[in-house]
Amino acid sequence: MDVSRLNRSCLRWSVLTFVSFAAFGWIAPRVDAAGSSKYAHSDSDKRFLHHIDLYDRNNRKISADSTEPYSVEKTCGRCHDFETISHGWHFNAFASEVERQRSNVEASSESQADTDETATNSKSVEQSEKDTEPAKTETVRSDGRPGEPWIWTDARTGTQLPLSYRDWEGRFSPSEIGISTHEMTQKFGARIPGGGVAASWDPNTSELAENSSEPTRWPLTGSLEIDCMACHAKSGAYDFERRRETIEDENFAWAPTAAIRIGEVSGSVSRMKAGVDLEDEKVQAKLPKVQYDDRRFGIDGTVFFDLVRVPENNSCYQCHSQRTVSDSGIDARWNHDQDVHLRAGMKCVDCHRNGIDHQTVRGFEGEQHPAGVAATTLSCRGCHMGVSEFAGEAHSEDHDDALSLTQIAFRAGRLGSPYPQHEGLPPVHFEKLSCTACHSGPIPGEKAIGMMTSLAHGLGEKGHRSGLELPSIQGPVFAKAESNGLVTPHRAMWPAYWGKLVDGKVTPLSPEEVYTNTRRALRVRKDFIEELSEKGREEFDEKVASGLEAIEKTMEVEQAVYVSTGLVFARGDEEGSLVEVEVENRDAVEMVRWPMAHNVRPAGWALGATGCLECHSDDGLVFTSTVTPKGPAPVTAEPINMASIQGLDEATRLEWNQLFGGRKMFKVLTATSLILLLLAIAGSCLPAVRSRTE
């Protein structure tokens, strides 16, 4: 036996075995990592029992003797992918969708470039950027279909100013007006679940620059973190009113603790001056403190949270309720029916779904879901009618979409929804109208009615409302949706604000600065309308002119104006007088609208259910009902009919209606003519029949 050859063979096999195991050991962990997550999950439909330890914002464990508020991120983030969740739609209400997606694409591009370089080590950085550029252009979309703006309302100055960080027509950017993210959080924080700039403010942003006239209050108030309990706490366990009061006191970081009622919060940041030294013991003593309920802590130091995986309707109602207002005031609830889907036992989340990314489906037609999944059948048309074969072909390329594999996203009758026959309805209606045009919102009357929403009017807060409070919102307004051009019911309002006129364009001024500089001139204690507008045009002109003069002097504005009811008022030549001026950017003073889809009415109450003449007549409400510009100024504006808002020519519409006006008579004449024709034919054939029988 050749011993040397045997040794070489053994050595060769040993090396090969070692390399094989090493390669397997290097590859195996990567395979496992690709198909798993560091966060455990139950994968069951049952509710998970949450007996959990609490941690504060400094990541220290909280006991019953602690005085610091608990941090949702540090507590829930231990078991849940807080980073992924934080990019959801609700948590970016104060952030631009465009900027968020651009950041995601840039991060994805960088990651892809690093991966390609590691894998092949052949592509240059310039080539990688070139390769990823088309994906960047494709992924960065617009801000989506316009939604309800944040309406900054101040009854003392007659202000109803539509705001949004998203690029939607008719809305103003708070940052461009001079409204800080802290002011937005204090004003509207009770209507968001936290997150975005309210939870991760940057000390290096422009609003905190050294040349800022006032120091920031963020170090005192803390961040308004995403509060998971606002949606996932069992109904009745979460106190939205206490959360609102805590935010109004500028105790942002203490809001989750107060709302879940595991302790009492004492003290108010609103009473403290900004710019103080937080290391000072006296300042620390004035900061809010928490006295925890020791009965909520178990023997092991954990606290029980009664949570649900799928949010209940009660959580949605806090921010998504609405009421109608008639001439007699707020309409009584008992005299109205609920949304037909709610009456059928459905939940809000049956249609408005989301995954771990919390990109909630909004449910409008043509929605491009940020998660990249097909949500077609979570819209009205998709759920009831499914996706046609033609539309399905357009979606067939989404091979990576798990829903496409089972065709769930393209089937009609989802959740047992009935298939609408629409017998006798020409297909052109589906090309011109959205489903909500006929089935959603208040039944239209001769004029649009007043409407109140949670976001605009703080519905849910205990108080005495008359229905006349600002902002003045009306609906339904039948206009073409910006997203798809289909006629859709909208809510609408006209902005009212104090601004400056530069080169023929009007720009709003900071509402808080306006109040500070017009307080003495206007002499309004509580209500601009009651104390000025309702006293007549003379009183209004005098006080507003005085207010404009004060703004021009104290805020160094060359020409100040007041916008209301689609008009722009400036100081006249005579003292105490106003004149109406024209501006180039009419979109800054005209109607602002956004689509509405609820409440959904049953088929028997849909427009057109009684016949074609319900719409195609000279007084068809979908075309002839009116909406009148409304605002704090005591002026009477001309009503605007829906046909003009839709861009329809009135003469053409009336001529078209004539075809429907005589439709019944035409049917009678046609039927009568056919009967007479049949009788005539029968009469002519009768002699021949007789002759044959004889």
Side-chain angles (χ1 to χ4, degrees), residues 241-302:
E241 283 302 286
R242 180 171 288 193
R243 181 175 189 268
R244 175 186 60 80
E245 294 168 356
T246 306
I247 293 174
E248 288 178 351
D249 286 337
E250 297 187 60
N251 299 345
F252 297 165
W254 290 263
T257 304
I260 203 64
R261 298 184 72 92
I262 57 176
E264 293 288 337
V265 177
S266 60
S268 174
V269 171
S270 62
R271 299 178 181 178
M272 302 177 65
K273 293 183 179 180
V276 296
D277 183 9
L278 288 177
E279 301 298 327
D280 190 337
E281 293 183 358
K282 294 183 179 179
V283 174
Q284 287 289 327
K286 293 181 180 179
L287 287 174
K289 299 292 188 298
V290 180
Q291 182 178 354
Y292 285 99
D293 184 354
D294 56 5
R295 296 172 299 179
R296 298 291 299 272
F297 289 78
I299 298 177
D300 58 352
T302 61

Coordinates of all heavy atoms in Angstrom, one line a residue, residues 241-302:
E241 N -60.1 61.9 26.3 CA -60.3 63.2 26.9 C -59.1 63.6 27.7 O -58.6 64.7 27.7 CB -61.6 63.3 27.7 CG -62.8 63.4 26.8 CD -62.8 64.6 25.9 OE1 -62.9 65.7 26.4 OE2 -62.5 64.4 24.7
R242 N -58.6 62.6 28.5 CA -57.5 62.9 29.4 C -56.2 63.1 28.5 O -55.4 64.0 28.9 CB -57.3 61.8 30.4 CG -56.1 62.0 31.3 CD -56.0 60.9 32.4 NE -57.0 61.1 33.4 CZ -57.0 60.5 34.6 NH1 -56.0 59.7 34.9 NH2 -58.0 60.7 35.5
R243 N -56.1 62.4 27.5 CA -55.0 62.6 26.6 C -55.0 64.0 26.0 O -54.0 64.7 25.9 CB -55.0 61.6 25.4 CG -53.8 61.7 24.5 CD -53.9 60.6 23.5 NE -52.7 60.6 22.6 CZ -52.5 61.2 21.5 NH1 -53.6 61.9 21.0 NH2 -51.4 61.1 20.8
R244 N -56.2 64.5 25.5 CA -56.3 65.8 25.0 C -55.9 66.9 26.0 O -55.2 67.8 25.7 CB -57.8 66.0 24.5 CG -58.0 67.5 24.0 CD -59.5 67.6 23.7 NE -60.3 67.4 24.9 CZ -60.5 68.3 25.8 NH1 -59.9 69.5 25.8 NH2 -61.3 68.0 26.8
E245 N -56.4 66.8 27.2 CA -56.1 67.7 28.2 C -54.6 67.8 28.5 O -54.0 68.8 28.8 CB -56.9 67.4 29.5 CG -58.4 67.6 29.4 CD -59.2 66.9 30.5 OE1 -58.5 66.4 31.4 OE2 -60.4 67.1 30.5
T246 N -54.0 66.6 28.5 CA -52.6 66.5 28.8 C -51.8 67.2 27.7 O -50.8 67.9 28.0 CB -52.1 65.1 29.0 OG1 -52.9 64.4 29.9 CG2 -50.7 65.0 29.4
I247 N -52.2 67.0 26.5 CA -51.5 67.7 25.3 C -51.7 69.2 25.4 O -50.8 69.9 25.1 CB -51.9 67.1 24.0 CG1 -51.5 65.6 23.9 CG2 -51.4 67.8 22.8 CD1 -52.1 64.9 22.7
E248 N -52.9 69.6 25.7 CA -53.1 71.0 25.8 C -52.3 71.7 26.9 O -51.9 72.9 26.8 CB -54.6 71.3 26.1 CG -55.5 71.0 24.9 CD -57.0 71.2 25.2 OE1 -57.3 71.4 26.4 OE2 -57.8 71.2 24.2
D249 N -51.9 70.9 27.9 CA -51.0 71.4 29.0 C -49.6 71.4 28.5 O -48.7 71.7 29.3 CB -51.2 70.6 30.3 CG -52.5 71.0 31.0 OD1 -53.0 72.1 30.8 OD2 -53.0 70.1 31.8
E250 N -49.3 70.9 27.3 CA -48.0 70.8 26.7 C -47.2 69.7 27.4 O -46.0 69.7 27.4 CB -47.2 72.1 26.7 CG -47.9 73.2 25.9 CD -47.0 74.4 25.8 OE1 -45.8 74.3 25.3 OE2 -47.4 75.5 26.2
N251 N -47.9 68.8 28.0 CA -47.2 67.6 28.6 C -47.2 66.5 27.6 O -47.8 65.4 27.8 CB -47.9 67.2 29.9 CG -48.0 68.3 31.0 OD1 -47.3 69.2 30.9 ND2 -48.9 68.1 31.9
F252 N -46.5 66.7 26.5 CA -46.5 65.7 25.4 C -46.0 64.3 25.8 O -46.7 63.3 25.5 CB -45.7 66.2 24.2 CG -46.2 67.5 23.6 CD1 -45.3 68.2 22.8 CD2 -47.4 68.0 23.9 CE1 -45.8 69.4 22.2 CE2 -47.9 69.2 23.3 CZ -47.0 69.9 22.5
A253 N -44.9 64.3 26.5 CA -44.3 63.0 26.9 C -45.1 62.3 27.9 O -45.0 61.1 28.1 CB -42.9 63.2 27.4
W254 N -46.0 63.0 28.6 CA -46.8 62.4 29.7 C -48.2 61.9 29.2 O -48.9 61.3 29.9 CB -47.0 63.4 30.8 CG -45.8 63.6 31.6 CD1 -45.4 63.1 32.8 CD2 -44.8 64.6 31.2 NE1 -44.2 63.6 33.2 CE2 -43.8 64.5 32.3 CE3 -44.5 65.4 30.2 CZ2 -42.6 65.3 32.3 CZ3 -43.4 66.2 30.2 CH2 -42.4 66.1 31.2
A255 N -48.5 62.2 27.9 CA -49.9 61.9 27.4 C -50.2 60.4 27.4 O -51.3 60.0 27.8 CB -50.0 62.5 26.0
P256 N -49.3 59.5 26.9 CA -49.7 58.1 26.9 C -49.9 57.5 28.3 O -50.8 56.7 28.5 CB -48.4 57.4 26.3 CG -47.8 58.5 25.5 CD -48.0 59.8 26.2
T257 N -49.2 58.0 29.3 CA -49.4 57.5 30.7 C -50.7 58.0 31.2 O -51.4 57.2 31.8 CB -48.2 58.1 31.6 OG1 -47.0 57.7 31.0 CG2 -48.4 57.6 33.0
A258 N -51.1 59.2 30.9 CA -52.3 59.8 31.4 C -53.5 59.1 30.7 O -54.5 58.8 31.4 CB -52.4 61.3 31.2
A259 N -53.4 58.8 29.4 CA -54.5 58.3 28.7 C -54.9 56.9 29.0 O -56.0 56.5 29.1 CB -54.2 58.4 27.2
I260 N -53.9 56.1 29.3 CA -54.1 54.7 29.7 C -54.5 54.5 31.1 O -54.8 53.5 31.6 CB -52.9 53.8 29.3 CG1 -53.4 52.3 29.2 CG2 -51.8 53.9 30.3 CD1 -54.3 52.1 28.0
R261 N -54.4 55.6 31.9 CA -54.9 55.7 33.3 C -54.2 54.8 34.2 O -54.8 54.1 35.1 CB -56.4 55.5 33.4 CG -57.2 56.6 32.6 CD -58.7 56.4 32.8 NE -59.1 56.8 34.1 CZ -59.5 58.0 34.5 NH1 -59.6 58.9 33.6 NH2 -59.9 58.2 35.7
I262 N -52.9 54.7 34.1 CA -52.1 53.9 35.0 C -51.5 54.8 36.1 O -50.8 54.3 37.0 CB -51.0 53.1 34.3 CG1 -50.1 54.0 33.5 CG2 -51.6 52.0 33.4 CD1 -48.9 53.3 32.9
G263 N -51.7 56.1 36.0 CA -51.2 57.0 37.0 C -51.7 58.4 36.8 O -52.3 58.7 35.7
E264 N -51.6 59.2 37.8 CA -52.0 60.6 37.7 C -50.9 61.5 37.4 O -49.8 61.4 38.0 CB -52.7 61.0 39.1 CG -54.0 60.3 39.4 CD -55.1 60.8 38.5 OE1 -55.0 61.9 38.0 OE2 -56.1 60.0 38.3
V265 N -51.1 62.4 36.5 CA -50.0 63.4 36.1 C -50.3 64.7 36.7 O -51.4 65.3 36.6 CB -49.9 63.5 34.6 CG1 -48.9 64.6 34.2 CG2 -49.6 62.2 33.9
S266 N -49.4 65.3 37.5 CA -49.5 66.6 38.1 C -48.5 67.5 37.5 O -47.4 67.1 37.2 CB -49.3 66.5 39.6 OG -48.1 66.0 39.9
G267 N -48.9 68.8 37.4 CA -48.0 69.8 36.8 C -48.3 70.0 35.4 O -48.9 69.2 34.7
S268 N -47.8 71.2 34.9 CA -48.1 71.6 33.5 C -46.9 72.4 32.9 O -46.5 73.4 33.5 CB -49.4 72.5 33.5 OG -49.6 73.0 32.2
V269 N -46.4 71.9 31.8 CA -45.3 72.5 31.1 C -45.7 73.9 30.6 O -44.9 74.8 30.4 CB -44.8 71.6 30.0 CG1 -43.8 72.4 29.1 CG2 -44.2 70.4 30.5
S270 N -47.0 74.1 30.3 CA -47.5 75.3 29.7 C -47.3 76.5 30.7 O -47.2 77.7 30.2 CB -49.0 75.2 29.4 OG -49.8 75.0 30.6
R271 N -47.1 76.2 31.9 CA -46.8 77.3 32.9 C -45.3 77.6 33.1 O -44.9 78.5 33.9 CB -47.4 76.9 34.3 CG -48.9 76.7 34.2 CD -49.4 76.3 35.6 NE -50.8 76.0 35.6 CZ -51.6 75.6 36.6 NH1 -50.9 75.3 37.8 NH2 -52.9 75.4 36.5
M272 N -44.5 76.9 32.3 CA -43.0 77.1 32.5 C -42.5 77.9 31.3 O -43.0 77.8 30.2 CB -42.3 75.7 32.5 CG -42.8 74.9 33.7 SD -42.0 73.2 33.7 CE -40.3 73.7 34.0
K273 N -41.4 78.6 31.5 CA -40.8 79.4 30.4 C -39.8 78.6 29.7 O -39.1 77.7 30.2 CB -40.1 80.6 31.0 CG -41.0 81.6 31.7 CD -40.3 82.8 32.2 CE -41.2 83.9 32.8 NZ -40.5 85.1 33.3
A274 N -39.8 78.8 28.4 CA -38.8 78.1 27.5 C -37.4 78.6 27.7 O -37.2 79.8 28.2 CB -39.2 78.3 26.0
G275 N -36.4 77.8 27.4 CA -35.1 78.2 27.5 C -34.4 78.1 28.9 O -33.3 78.5 29.1
V276 N -35.2 77.4 29.9 CA -34.6 77.3 31.2 C -33.6 76.1 31.2 O -33.6 75.3 30.3 CB -35.8 77.0 32.2 CG1 -36.7 78.2 32.3 CG2 -36.6 75.7 31.8
D277 N -32.8 76.1 32.2 CA -31.8 75.0 32.4 C -32.4 73.8 33.0 O -32.9 73.8 34.1 CB -30.7 75.5 33.3 CG -29.5 74.5 33.4 OD1 -29.6 73.5 32.7 OD2 -28.6 74.7 34.2
L278 N -32.5 72.7 32.2 CA -33.2 71.5 32.7 C -32.4 70.8 33.7 O -32.9 69.9 34.4 CB -33.4 70.5 31.5 CG -34.5 70.9 30.5 CD1 -34.6 69.9 29.4 CD2 -35.8 71.0 31.2
E279 N -31.1 71.1 33.9 CA -30.3 70.5 34.9 C -30.5 71.2 36.3 O -30.1 70.7 37.3 CB -28.8 70.6 34.6 CG -28.5 70.0 33.2 CD -28.7 68.5 33.3 OE1 -28.6 67.9 34.4 OE2 -29.1 67.9 32.2
D280 N -31.2 72.4 36.3 CA -31.5 73.1 37.5 C -32.5 72.3 38.4 O -33.5 71.9 37.9 CB -32.0 74.5 37.2 CG -32.1 75.4 38.4 OD1 -32.1 74.9 39.5 OD2 -32.1 76.6 38.2
E281 N -32.2 72.1 39.6 CA -33.1 71.4 40.5 C -34.4 72.0 40.6 O -35.5 71.4 40.8 CB -32.4 71.2 41.9 CG -31.2 70.4 41.9 CD -30.6 70.2 43.3 OE1 -31.2 70.8 44.2 OE2 -29.6 69.5 43.4
K282 N -34.5 73.4 40.6 CA -35.8 74.1 40.7 C -36.6 73.8 39.5 O -37.8 73.7 39.6 CB -35.5 75.6 40.9 CG -34.8 75.9 42.2 CD -34.7 77.4 42.3 CE -34.0 77.8 43.7 NZ -33.9 79.3 43.8
V283 N -36.0 73.8 38.3 CA -36.7 73.5 37.1 C -37.2 72.0 37.1 O -38.4 71.8 36.8 CB -35.8 73.7 35.9 CG1 -36.5 73.3 34.6 CG2 -35.4 75.2 35.8
Q284 N -36.4 71.1 37.6 CA -36.8 69.7 37.7 C -38.0 69.5 38.6 O -38.9 68.7 38.3 CB -35.6 68.9 38.2 CG -34.5 68.7 37.1 CD -34.9 67.7 36.0 OE1 -35.7 66.8 36.2 NE2 -34.4 68.0 34.8
A285 N -38.0 70.3 39.6 CA -39.1 70.2 40.6 C -40.4 70.7 40.0 O -41.5 70.2 40.4 CB -38.8 71.0 41.9
K286 N -40.4 71.6 39.0 CA -41.6 72.1 38.4 C -42.1 71.2 37.3 O -43.3 71.4 36.8 CB -41.3 73.5 37.9 CG -41.1 74.5 39.0 CD -40.8 75.9 38.4 CE -40.6 77.0 39.4 NZ -40.3 78.3 38.9
L287 N -41.3 70.3 36.7 CA -41.7 69.5 35.7 C -42.8 68.5 36.1 O -42.9 68.2 37.3 CB -40.5 68.6 35.1 CG -39.5 69.4 34.3 CD1 -38.3 68.4 34.0 CD2 -40.1 69.9 33.0
P288 N -43.7 68.1 35.2 CA -44.8 67.2 35.6 C -44.3 65.9 36.2 O -43.2 65.4 35.8 CB -45.5 67.0 34.3 CG -45.2 68.2 33.5 CD -43.8 68.6 33.8
K289 N -45.0 65.4 37.2 CA -44.7 64.2 37.8 C -45.8 63.2 37.7 O -47.0 63.5 37.6 CB -44.3 64.4 39.3 CG -43.2 65.4 39.6 CD -41.9 64.8 39.1 CE -40.7 65.7 39.5 NZ -40.7 67.0 38.9
V290 N -45.5 61.9 37.7 CA -46.5 60.8 37.7 C -46.5 60.1 39.0 O -45.5 59.8 39.6 CB -46.1 59.8 36.6 CG1 -47.2 58.7 36.5 CG2 -46.0 60.5 35.2
Q291 N -47.8 59.9 39.5 CA -48.0 59.1 40.6 C -48.7 57.8 40.2 O -49.9 57.9 39.9 CB -48.8 59.8 41.7 CG -49.0 59.0 43.0 CD -49.8 59.7 44.0 OE1 -50.1 60.9 43.9 NE2 -50.1 59.0 45.1
Y292 N -48.0 56.7 40.0 CA -48.5 55.5 39.5 C -49.5 54.8 40.5 O -49.3 55.0 41.7 CB -47.4 54.6 39.1 CG -46.7 54.9 37.8 CD1 -45.5 55.6 37.9 CD2 -47.2 54.7 36.6 CE1 -44.8 56.0 36.7 CE2 -46.6 55.0 35.4 CZ -45.4 55.7 35.5 OH -44.7 56.1 34.3
D293 N -50.5 54.2 39.9 CA -51.4 53.4 40.7 C -50.8 52.1 41.0 O -50.6 51.2 40.1 CB -52.7 53.2 39.9 CG -53.8 52.5 40.7 OD1 -53.5 52.0 41.8 OD2 -54.9 52.4 40.2
D294 N -50.3 51.9 42.2 CA -49.6 50.6 42.6 C -50.4 49.4 42.4 O -49.9 48.3 42.3 CB -49.0 50.7 44.0 CG -50.1 51.0 45.0 OD1 -51.3 51.0 44.7 OD2 -49.7 51.2 46.2
R295 N -51.8 49.6 42.3 CA -52.6 48.4 42.1 C -52.5 47.8 40.7 O -52.9 46.7 40.5 CB -54.1 48.8 42.4 CG -54.3 49.2 43.9 CD -55.8 49.7 44.0 NE -56.0 50.9 43.2 CZ -57.1 51.6 43.1 NH1 -58.2 51.1 43.8 NH2 -57.2 52.6 42.4
R296 N -52.0 48.6 39.8 CA -51.8 48.2 38.4 C -50.6 47.3 38.2 O -50.4 46.7 37.2 CB -51.8 49.4 37.5 CG -53.1 50.2 37.5 CD -54.2 49.5 36.8 NE -54.0 49.1 35.5 CZ -54.3 49.9 34.4 NH1 -54.8 51.1 34.6 NH2 -54.0 49.5 33.2
F297 N -49.7 47.3 39.2 CA -48.4 46.6 39.1 C -48.6 45.2 39.8 O -49.1 45.1 40.9 CB -47.3 47.3 39.8 CG -46.9 48.6 39.0 CD1 -47.6 49.7 39.1 CD2 -45.8 48.6 38.2 CE1 -47.3 50.9 38.4 CE2 -45.4 49.7 37.5 CZ -46.1 50.8 37.6
G298 N -48.2 44.2 39.0 CA -48.2 42.8 39.6 C -47.1 42.6 40.5 O -46.2 43.4 40.7
I299 N -47.0 41.4 41.1 CA -46.0 41.0 42.0 C -44.6 41.0 41.3 O -43.6 41.4 41.9 CB -46.3 39.6 42.6 CG1 -47.6 39.6 43.4 CG2 -45.1 39.1 43.5 CD1 -48.0 38.3 44.0
D300 N -44.6 40.7 40.0 CA -43.4 40.6 39.3 C -43.0 42.0 38.7 O -42.0 42.1 37.9 CB -43.4 39.6 38.2 CG -44.6 39.9 37.2 OD1 -45.4 40.8 37.5 OD2 -44.7 39.2 36.2
G301 N -43.8 43.0 39.0 CA -43.5 44.4 38.5 C -44.1 44.7 37.2 O -43.9 45.8 36.6
T302 N -44.8 43.8 36.5 CA -45.4 44.0 35.2 C -46.8 44.7 35.4 O -47.4 44.7 36.4 CB -45.6 42.7 34.4 OG1 -46.4 41.8 35.2 CG2 -44.2 42.1 34.2

